[in-house]
Amino acid sequence: MDSTRDSTGKSALDPRRPTGSAMLRESVTETIRRAVFEELAETGYARMSMEAVTRRARVGKAALYRRWPTKEAMVVELVSEAAAAHLPTTADSGSLLADVERFVRDTMADLRHPLVGRIVPDLVAESARNPSLRDALHKAVLAPRRVAVTTVLRQAVDRGELPADIDMGLAVDLFGAPLYFRMLAVGGPTDDAYVTRLTHAVLAALAASR
């Protein structure tokens, strides 16, 4: 085996591959990321402090403040990174029914994560009291999701499955709001039968969004 390559066949000399201090920084950042999400889930945004994160991550304060100047900057960046990894797919399935069902199932899978189920409601509540956090999360987290859903809906319009004069803002709201409310507020079964009912209910609402 070529000694300049690892077990995956990647060159150990590849300049894009983190080495030395860069690998250490990646490791520390990942440790901090886990600590932030665990702290958010356990104590909530309002009670969480940079000091509590350093204790949980077992790093010095400088490790946090080199990366983020404030708690808000830290939370917004890490939450937005996690959200970006789970944006709705915009691949054209050729069917609005398939698009809605795929969105429902993918979103359900994301919301079932125990940390997500505790962090999202807390951040929503805190955003109502904190305009700066609300605006930052809207720009970094909500806006990209709405853009992705809008793309899916415009594809349905182009296919003739939705009216050209659809109220796009309302349609985007209808695409995800019922599921978020079910899973994060009131609870209840989310089995295959529910997915089918919700998918058809959303389709009917979308068709009437004019």
Side-chain angles (χ1 to χ4, degrees):
M1 180 176 176
D2 186 341
S3 61
T4 65
R5 295 184 177 275
D6 64 15
S7 60
T8 67
K10 294 180 180 179
S11 171
L13 304 179
D14 187 339
R16 296 169 298 180
R17 177 190 178 100
T19 59
S21 61
M23 289 184 68
L24 179 59
R25 285 195 298 274
E26 276 194 3
S27 175
V28 171
T29 300
E30 180 56 34
T31 298
I32 294 171
R33 181 181 291 108
R34 286 197 302 270
V36 168
F37 289 136
E38 290 170 0
E39 193 70 22
L40 270 175
E42 184 174 314
T43 68
Y45 179 86
R47 294 175 56 202
M48 187 183 83
S49 66
M50 300 281 270
E51 290 72 19
V53 173
T54 62
R55 290 194 296 271
R56 187 181 290 268
R58 297 183 180 179
V59 298
K61 291 182 181 180
L64 262 67
Y65 286 103
R66 277 198 304 268
R67 291 166 171 81
W68 307 283
T70 64
K71 176 177 75 170
E72 180 180 300
M74 176 179 68
V75 169
V76 169
E77 179 177 319
L78 294 182
V79 169
S80 64
E81 287 177 355
H86 296 275
L87 282 174
T89 178
T90 57
D92 192 342
S93 69
S95 162
L96 182 58
L97 185 150
D99 288 337
V100 173
E101 182 172 347
R102 177 178 61 193
F103 175 88
V104 169
R105 292 190 182 279
D106 289 349
T107 304
M108 282 173 54
D110 293 338
L111 294 179
R112 282 193 177 115
H113 190 289
L115 293 184
V116 172
R118 296 171 69 181
I119 290 171
V120 172
D122 176 73
L123 289 179
V124 170
E126 186 61 32
S127 293
R129 297 184 290 266
N130 186 330
S132 176
L133 179 66
R134 178 196 63 213
D135 293 345
L137 288 175
H138 186 278
K139 180 179 179 180
V141 179
L142 294 180
R145 277 189 88 74
R146 293 183 70 84
V147 168
V149 172
T150 298
T151 298
V152 171
L153 291 169
R154 291 199 185 282
Q155 290 168 352
V157 171
D158 292 341
R159 292 193 302 264
E161 292 185 272
L162 289 174
D165 61 348
I166 186 173
D167 182 335
M168 194 59 71
L170 175 59
V172 172
D173 291 341
L174 292 169
F175 213 81
L179 181 60
Y180 285 105
F181 188 71
R182 175 74 164 222
M183 295 193 70
L184 299 179
V186 301
T190 52
D191 54 13
D192 284 343
Y194 174 76
V195 170
T196 298
R197 292 196 305 275
L198 178 60
T199 297
H200 286 282
V202 171
L203 285 172
L206 290 173
S209 301
R210 312 175 79 167

